[in-house]
Amino acid sequence: MDISKMLELLSYTLPAIITGMVAYYFFNLHTKNEEGRRRYLLSKEAQKNTMPLRLQAYERMTLFLERISLSNLLIRISPISTDKNDYANFVIAQIDQEFEHNLAQQIYMTDECWTIIVTAKNATTQMIRKAALSEVVGNADQLREALLNDLLDRQTPSNAALGYIKKEVSQMW
């Protein structure tokens, strides 16, 4: 084979190879773009379906935090006896029951938000236990009074957690 025949063959083959590579590049780019578009549409559809569930979870946890707020809790739950420990245990049992009722909501929330809610619950329980151990408190009514007076000095754990929930929900838009 002489050089002129090879050059002629190369002059036909080289443009075909270049055209094939460009076509492959654009086809590959188009395929990736379509895959990304489908993934976006699926994500958008999933978000449309899960957004109401997430909002409902935040609503339920807001209700939970309102219900375990000491001011609301102490007004709603009257002492069952004059013994301060019985009353403290009863109030803590109510908090735990309310918490267990809402445990499933954690799957719709961020880990950080759920941790803050659990911390608020535990801090509220700890405040009740600490007040019940106080020597100044003699009976259930004094325990209620001591807890309510303690609330005047500082913010409740529930209010801090509610503030975080509001911030997180506002970031969803």
Side-chain angles (χ1 to χ4, degrees), residues 88-126:
N89 289 334
F90 183 65
V91 172
I92 290 170
Q94 295 297 313
I95 292 172
D96 289 338
Q97 181 183 9
E98 189 80 31
F99 182 72
E100 289 169 6
H101 181 70
N102 290 297
L103 268 175
Q105 303 309 314
Q106 67 182 301
I107 62 174
Y108 299 110
M109 308 180 109
T110 63
D111 288 336
E112 186 178 356
C113 186
W114 184 253
T115 301
I116 288 173
I117 291 169
V118 171
T119 303
K121 174 214 170 258
N122 292 338
T124 303
T125 302
Q126 196 64 25

Side-chain angles (χ1 to χ4, degrees), residues 7-50:
L7 284 176
E8 185 180 335
L9 182 64
L10 188 62
S11 69
Y12 291 124
T13 311
L14 190 61
I17 291 173
I18 292 173
T19 304
M21 288 174 36
V22 169
Y24 175 77
Y25 171 77
F26 281 118
F27 180 73
N28 197 17
L29 188 67
H30 175 71
T31 304
K32 286 181 182 177
N33 186 29
E34 279 298 308
E35 182 181 324
R37 188 177 71 79
R38 278 191 220 114
R39 195 173 294 141
Y40 169 75
L41 290 174
L42 284 173
S43 171
K44 187 176 174 183
E45 185 67 27
Q47 185 178 12
K48 188 168 76 172
N49 294 334
T50 60

Side-chain angles (χ1 to χ4, degrees), residues 54-155:
R54 288 189 71 202
L55 287 175
Q56 184 181 25
Y58 284 110
E59 288 170 0
R60 288 193 56 179
M61 294 318 294
T62 298
L63 182 61
F64 165 74
L65 290 170
E66 284 293 334
R67 289 181 60 83
I68 70 162
S69 177
L70 279 177
S71 57
N72 295 335
L73 196 63
L74 296 175
I75 291 170
R76 192 175 70 248
I77 302 173
S78 57
I80 53 176
S81 72
T82 58
D83 184 42
K84 67 180 181 179
N85 292 319
D86 286 344
Y87 182 60
N89 289 334
F90 183 65
V91 172
I92 290 170
Q94 295 297 313
I95 292 172
D96 289 338
Q97 181 183 9
E98 189 80 31
F99 182 72
E100 289 169 6
H101 181 70
N102 290 297
L103 268 175
Q105 303 309 314
Q106 67 182 301
I107 62 174
Y108 299 110
M109 308 180 109
T110 63
D111 288 336
E112 186 178 356
C113 186
W114 184 253
T115 301
I116 288 173
I117 291 169
V118 171
T119 303
K121 174 214 170 258
N122 292 338
T124 303
T125 302
Q126 196 64 25
M127 287 175 69
I128 295 168
R129 287 196 174 125
K130 184 179 175 185
L133 291 174
S134 174
E135 297 295 324
V136 178
V137 176
N139 60 30
D141 287 328
Q142 289 176 350
L143 176 62
R144 287 173 88 182
E145 194 174 310
L147 287 168
L148 288 172
N149 285 335
D150 193 29
L151 292 179
L152 296 175
D153 297 337
R154 60 182 170 162
Q155 182 183 16

